[in-house]
Amino acid sequence: MSTLADTAIEILRENDRGTYTVPTKGLYPFQWNWDSCLTALGQHHFDEDRAWREIETLFDNQWPCGMVPHIVFHQMDDGYFPGPQVWATGRPVPTSGITQPPVAGFSLKRLFDRAKDTALAEARVKALLPKVAKWHRWFYETRDPRGEGLVAIIHPWEAGRDNSIDWDEPFERVPTEGITPYVRRDTQHANPAHRPTKEQYDRYLWLVEHFRGLGWDTSKLHDASPFQVVDPGFNAILIRSCADLADLADHLGEAELARENRQFAEKGIAAMETLWSEPHGQYLCRDRTRETLVDSASVGGLLAAFCAIPTDRAAAIARTIDNHGTWFRVASHPPQDSRFDAKRYWRGPVWLVINYMIADGLRRAGEVDAAAKITASSLDLIRESGFAEYYDPMTGEPLGGGRFTWTAAMVLEFLSMEQ
Ligand code: DGY
């Protein structure tokens, strides 16, 4: 009988396209940004060289401005919408025109710290370091125009949490008039009841067409977007990556890059305080177009624990997760919220990548029991329901795509933590 680790490796190999890995066959047939950076952590358990390659392929497709796109369309596949013709970004290898949670800096440090072949690791990090630093600089230049220390996303797909309740209110300001008629493909691969709605898709597409109309000039898009949301989870990932990159830069004698990234991280941590909500016991999103906090206690605000927030904040987050009271942790929205939907993508279900980052952050903050509960719950889910894209937090039912790459990668990570 094959072990969980064997199956995880088998899935990672099955979805490997040589220099990049698809998240799952059918539903996501290209390279996704944060999927790849987290996938590399899993690959590193059995093939160090291949893990570095995963991240290098992504950064080979970095834009000259510094942005790293959320999808790289390496090979045509009309099973996905919106494809390269809709994005029309004019890149040599077609890409989308928005970005995704910048987890690369964190992943580099983790791969580096664990490397058995240190000479190989140093060479690979040295080449990637300036590219990741350029991406970080791009974020603070284009997504934080007032120098607050926190960046905004301009499309829900950038957060990765596509249809979170967090965006419901800000989305009311995104129109749908005039969009080109389209046919969705995601609902042919996954149960439509577990995916975003048509109303949400119309708005996703309106934003894409709006940005395309501005020639994908990334210095203009933030101010021109009716959707500007400061997501604590997204910022925590960026802040953690800046801090980790600063450590790597120090190690490699890149003092200026170290200083710059440490400054981003310190300013970011201080600014995170403005997103704290005492009644919710966690951080919340801020709608930058209104300067109001969004009344939605999502997993984005729990993921804030991934960066070095004060320890009393981390302790409160651990309690808030306990209060969810779901059988499996961590629900992407609390079941106490009337808008919670146990099966619909990011409106309730559990995601292993999020669990991994929350557990990692809580452990660093000294919340060892809370981290251990998340790890145990994640592995229980896999044992009961297999390697799905996401799971019902009440029943553990597997949802979305199957034999999912980053789920497999996270299983290898969780198993190594349990040892
Ligand atoms: C999708 O198509 O569902 C993706 O999440 C967008 O990146």
Side-chain angles (χ1 to χ4, degrees), residues 65 67 99 134-143 218:
C65 62
M67 186 187 76
T99 193
K134 189 171 180 183
W135 190 22
H136 293 174
R137 202 173 302 129
W138 172 85
F139 268 116
Y140 290 105
E141 279 170 8
T142 63
R143 300 303 185 81
T218 65

Side-chain angles (χ1 to χ4, degrees), residues 152-282:
I153 54 156
I154 59 171
H155 194 298
W157 287 342
E158 290 199 315
R161 298 185 295 114
D162 299 9
N163 66 339
S164 167
I165 294 165
D166 293 356
W167 329 129
D168 289 4
E169 209 181 286
F171 240 17
E172 281 167 21
R173 287 182 269 293
V174 177
T176 55
E177 288 78 38
I179 52 167
T180 312
Y182 64 93
V183 180
R184 282 174 69 169
R185 293 304 175 93
D186 58 312
T187 43
Q188 295 165 0
H189 301 288
N191 184 341
H194 304 166
R195 292 285 303 170
T197 62
K198 168 160 179 6
E199 289 67 34
Q200 284 158 342
Y201 253 80
D202 285 353
R203 288 179 166 84
Y204 299 152
L205 267 298
W206 188 92
L207 286 170
V208 170
E209 293 187 8
H210 180 56
F211 301 148
R212 190 180 64 203
L214 296 166
W216 296 113
D217 177 346
T218 65
S219 68
K220 297 212 177 89
L221 304 187
H222 173 279
D223 288 359
S225 178
F227 181 90
Q228 300 169 7
V229 179
V230 177
D231 169 11
F234 191 98
N235 277 277
I237 291 173
L238 178 55
I239 291 166
R240 173 76 181 266
S241 282
C242 286
D244 284 354
L245 203 74
D247 285 352
L248 281 175
D250 267 338
H251 185 85
L252 296 171
E254 299 281 355
E256 182 44 37
L257 289 189
R259 193 198 52 78
E260 183 188 29
N261 277 277
R262 194 148 288 126
Q263 240 172 35
F264 288 148
E266 280 165 11
K267 192 169 172 185
I269 298 270
M272 284 285 279
E273 259 320 275
T274 63
L275 306 179
W276 179 257
S277 163
E278 200 54 45
H280 290 93
Q282 66 165 87

